[in-house]
Amino acid sequence: MLNNMAYYCLYTSVVLVYGIGINRATVLCVNSRHLVLYAIKMLLSVSATATLVYLIAVHLLIPVRLLELFPFVAVLIFAVIAMFIESIVRITARTNASEFGVSMLCILLSVNESTSLGECVVNACLCALSFFCFIPFLYAIRKRVEISGTGKQFENLSLIFISVALIMIAMLVWNVSWLNPGVFQ
């Protein structure tokens, strides 16, 4: 369990390795008023959807050999759960917390890479948490870019994306799996 936490939440963050949610994270680092509300909503919807999708995939789609349909089933289930949770958030907090892309990709990633139901739910929640753990880093990068005063040569957003790309390269430079002799055979 601790190994999964370190792997999915800290080191191979879904933002840094898979690029999931880079655009959304740059938007949230600018306006972070309801960040906790977004995180709670995403964790609830991702964990509930990952549970249902995993159970349907294992007990219904795999026995009839229709596993290719699991992304479609995941979108349908996520749409229903996300709308339900979004309506509760709008009624109670009177704010919009709608988000689709990051949550859906976290669900697909966790269902694809898990071997049990517990692992699927934990991986989905850790993927969502890694997205929210990356936002303070983007906020710090954005503030540094604003302080440096680059002028009109670059937009602030383009420098943030270049900085994220450099961080991604630095985090993945250790991966030398392509050097294995079996790759070239």
Side-chain angles (χ1 to χ4, degrees):
M1 179 69 81
L2 190 59
N3 190 20
N4 277 356
M5 183 179 293
Y7 185 76
Y8 281 101
C9 195
L10 300 175
Y11 187 68
T12 56
S13 167
V14 295
V15 178
L16 293 178
V17 174
Y18 299 104
I20 295 174
I22 291 176
N23 289 338
R24 183 74 177 147
T26 56
V27 170
L28 286 177
C29 80
V30 173
N31 185 8
S32 59
R33 278 191 3 222
H34 302 289
L35 199 57
V36 175
L37 183 66
Y38 290 143
I40 291 170
K41 187 220 177 240
M42 186 185 285
L43 285 173
L44 287 174
S45 62
V46 162
S47 62
T49 305
T51 302
L52 290 175
V53 168
Y54 184 83
L55 290 174
I56 289 173
V58 167
H59 296 295
L60 186 66
L61 296 177
I62 290 175
V64 295
R65 292 189 170 97
L66 289 175
L67 194 59
E68 296 86 15
L69 293 177
F70 110 84
F72 178 68
V73 171
V75 168
L76 292 178
I77 292 172
F78 176 70
V80 171
I81 290 175
M83 279 190 264
F84 176 72
I85 294 174
E86 176 67 23
S87 64
I88 291 173
V89 167
R90 283 184 188 217
I91 290 170
T92 57
R94 302 193 193 291
T95 185
N96 183 9
S98 63
E99 190 280 320
F100 180 79
V102 178
S103 300
M104 190 65 223
L105 291 173
C106 287
I107 292 164
L108 292 175
L109 178 71
S110 67
V111 172
N112 274 329
E113 293 190 1
S114 61
T115 57
S116 68
L117 178 62
E119 185 179 351
C120 178
V121 174
V122 168
N123 290 349
C125 291
L126 290 175
C127 287
L129 281 176
S130 71
F131 171 74
F132 287 102
C133 288
F134 190 67
I135 290 175
F137 292 109
L138 279 179
Y139 181 77
I141 292 170
R142 186 180 64 83
K143 283 296 184 187
R144 282 291 187 183
V145 168
E146 287 176 0
I147 290 171
S148 69
T150 57
K152 294 187 179 185
Q153 295 123 354
F154 289 108
E155 290 183 24
N156 288 343
L157 197 58
S158 64
L159 285 177
I160 291 172
F161 281 127
I162 291 170
S163 301
V164 170
L166 291 174
I167 293 171
M168 290 170 78
I169 290 169
M171 292 293 283
L172 295 174
V173 75
W174 65 273
N175 187 2
V176 291
S177 60
W178 57 275
L179 292 176
N180 293 334
V183 172
F184 297 112
Q185 292 179 357

